[in-house]
Amino acid sequence: MVLQWLTGSEAESFKRIEAAFVKAYPDVTVREVVVTWSGDARGSVRTSLMGGESADLLVNTWPTFRAELADAGLLRPLDETYEAKGWGETLDSAWRTLGSIDGKLYGLTYTYGDRSGIWYRKQTLTDAGIEAPPKDWNAWIASFAKLREKGVTPLAVPAKFWAHAEIFETLILRMQGTEFARALARHEVAWTDDRVKAALRKWRELIDAGCCAEPATMLSTDWDNAADQVLQRRSSAYVQLGMWISSRAEETYKLNGETDFGLFQFPAMGLGHDDAASIDSKELVSLASGGNPEAADAFLDFMIGKEAATILAESGLASPSKLVDPSIYPPAIQASNAFVAGSDATFVLGDTLPGELADEYRVQLQRFLQDRSDANIDAVTQALEAKAASLP
């Protein structure tokens, strides 16, 4: 049984992989339990597991949640399976490190993505007289006036639940580097540190330059609404979201990745960290409660095999498998993969925070959007520091 919480085109891709697996293993039946959620799926997954739901595999994206489950004895280590199945020949060793806790492998990454990329409709920029996506900070800000003249909001900010954190997290990376971001996540740096406040002030600079809608509009916008605004309705020009937007653009909006839309990296700031990238990953972890570890291992093996990796690639999702033909990927994913491969990459900051702190983090960033004064920046960072200090 697979416990998962995916939605939209990602969920459809996962179902295609399950169907292909059952065809390859006709003696195995896959039962899927889909967890419903809003905001952050971790709470719903916890409720399901605490309610006695047993499963062989669980889709996970949060390193801290994996550690939480492992500490509770709910996960089955995968090191023996890794060796027995020869996954080292299919995956670079970095993926084993990524899925490990204290040297033990618990999570097998099956897809990953660049979260420092910005999506746009090509015609929207052309209509505004913008010849190419802006490459640096000043050019990005300069594009706002041209877009406003055409009645287009430059940057869609989906601040209803979690996606408003993307900009702040990339600002942290590009201004202070990946080691600072990791230290902040581990609470080795205080949230009241002026380097954190500097990132918020830089975000304020974007807003003061006319990047975005009014706070009430941002706070009522979810990630899919923002994607619609940029790629379908063209009422906004840019949105910073993960690689699942590629498959949404092609499968939901029926757009052509060659001609209709594109992706560019967060504009360069010239502070020595322009190669820093925020990345996410989807992994499968094996729950100790599962009754069929042999079938679970077979599914894990299938997930990084050529057939499943090809399904992901055809859906616009990157696979870490060496067996996939990279030419299958849409242009945006090819460019993203190339950037990530040469970047100084670290996990999405919000995904590396403990659940309680992650919730407070998103709320405080919403409060920042409502009041961007220095006094409120102090209040926001003090609230985050208080929450971080209260956790074990």
Side-chain angles (χ1 to χ4, degrees):
M1 191 192 85
V2 180
L3 186 64
Q4 64 102 335
W5 42 271
L6 303 173
T7 60
S9 55
E10 277 194 293
E12 291 304 314
S13 299
F14 200 83
K15 287 183 182 296
R16 286 177 59 196
I17 291 171
E18 289 175 332
F21 174 74
V22 170
K23 187 175 181 180
Y25 292 85
D27 294 335
V28 178
T29 300
V30 175
R31 183 168 74 90
E32 188 179 90
V33 174
V34 180
V35 174
T36 57
W37 57 283
S38 64
D40 191 319
R42 280 177 282 189
S44 296
V45 173
R46 283 193 197 94
T47 300
S48 179
L49 294 175
M50 290 173 65
E53 187 68 78
S54 61
D56 296 289
L57 295 169
L58 166 68
V59 175
N60 179 54
T61 193
W62 310 273
T64 51
F65 192 44
R66 184 210 307 144
E68 177 185 323
L69 296 174
D71 288 344
L74 297 178
L75 299 186
R76 178 173 65 95
L78 298 172
D79 298 276
E80 291 184 8
T81 308
Y82 185 99
E83 299 298 339
K85 298 287 187 182
W87 290 344
E89 297 178 8
T90 305
L91 302 172
D92 286 330
S93 60
W95 296 110
R96 183 172 189 172
T97 301
L98 192 71
S100 296
I101 302 170
D102 296 330
K104 284 187 177 182
L105 177 66
Y106 288 101
L108 182 71
T109 297
Y110 68 86
T111 188
Y112 68 97
D114 167 20
R115 293 277 282 272
S116 298
I118 297 175
W119 300 93
Y120 68 101
R121 275 291 294 267
K122 294 182 178 181
Q123 193 62 46
T124 303
L125 299 196
T126 299
D127 290 348
I130 301 169
E131 295 182 359
K135 293 185 177 181
D136 62 52
W137 184 261
N138 290 335
W140 197 27
I141 288 180
S143 74
F144 295 169
K146 294 181 180 180
L147 291 163
R148 288 282 184 186
E149 287 175 3
K150 294 294 182 179
V152 175
T153 301
L155 178 64
V157 178
K160 188 173 183 178
F161 292 115
W162 56 268
H164 55 300
E166 306 288 85
I167 297 168
F168 170 74
E169 293 181 3
T170 303
L171 286 171
I172 284 283
L173 291 178
R174 296 300 177 81
M175 295 174 72
Q176 308 300 339
T178 56
E179 284 306 315
F180 179 84
R182 294 185 190 110
L184 183 62
R186 295 190 297 263
H187 199 212
E188 294 169 0
V189 172
W191 286 87
T192 50
D193 190 293
D194 193 58
R195 290 169 290 184
V196 177
K197 296 179 183 181
L200 291 172
R201 290 193 291 267
K202 199 68 175 175
W203 194 2
R204 181 175 64 193
E205 182 181 320
L206 274 184
I207 296 172
D208 289 348
C211 71
C212 310
E214 292 299 313
T217 300
M218 291 189 279
L219 291 169
S220 64
T221 302
D222 205 351
W223 71 265
D224 52 347
N225 310 137
D228 292 348
Q229 290 168 16
V230 172
L231 296 176
Q232 189 176 52
R233 297 200 298 273
R234 293 176 52 204
S235 57
S236 295
Y238 312 120
V239 64
Q240 184 177 348
L241 287 168
M243 293 303 101
W244 66 88
I245 296 301
S246 177
S247 57
R248 183 177 179 85
E250 295 191 350
E251 296 179 17
T252 302
Y253 307 139
K254 307 303 179 186
L255 299 180
N256 186 307
E258 294 278 354
T259 59
D260 294 333
F261 69 96
L263 176 81
F264 65 96
Q265 291 304 313
F266 196 91
M269 303 183 74
L271 300 175
H273 305 290
D274 288 328
D275 65 340
S278 177
I279 64 167
D280 63 10
S281 75
K282 295 290 193 313
E283 66 182 15
L284 284 165
V285 296
S286 184
L287 294 169
S289 62
N292 198 340
E294 183 178 348
D297 287 348
F299 188 84
L300 291 169
D301 188 56
F302 187 82
M303 202 69 185
I304 59 171
K306 185 174 183 178
E307 187 171 5
T310 299
I311 290 172
L312 290 170
E314 290 174 344
S315 300
L317 298 170
S319 168
S321 175
K322 296 177 182 178
L323 302 178
V324 67
D325 178 358
S327 68
I328 297 173
Y329 291 120
I333 302 301
Q334 290 188 31
S336 168
N337 290 352
F339 176 74
V340 170
S343 72
D344 181 12
T346 190
F347 264 117
V348 174
L349 176 60
D351 288 351
T352 60
L353 301 177
E356 288 182 55
L357 179 55
D359 291 341
E360 184 72 17
Y361 165 70
R362 289 159 183 158
V363 168
Q364 291 302 329
L365 289 182
Q366 289 171 329
R367 290 176 178 164
F368 160 77
L369 292 176
Q370 294 171 294
D371 178 359
R372 299 176 297 279
S373 66
D374 285 339
N376 195 48
I377 287 175
D378 288 343
V380 162
T381 53
Q382 286 167 7
L384 287 170
E385 176 60 21
K387 174 59 74 171
S390 73
L391 299 176

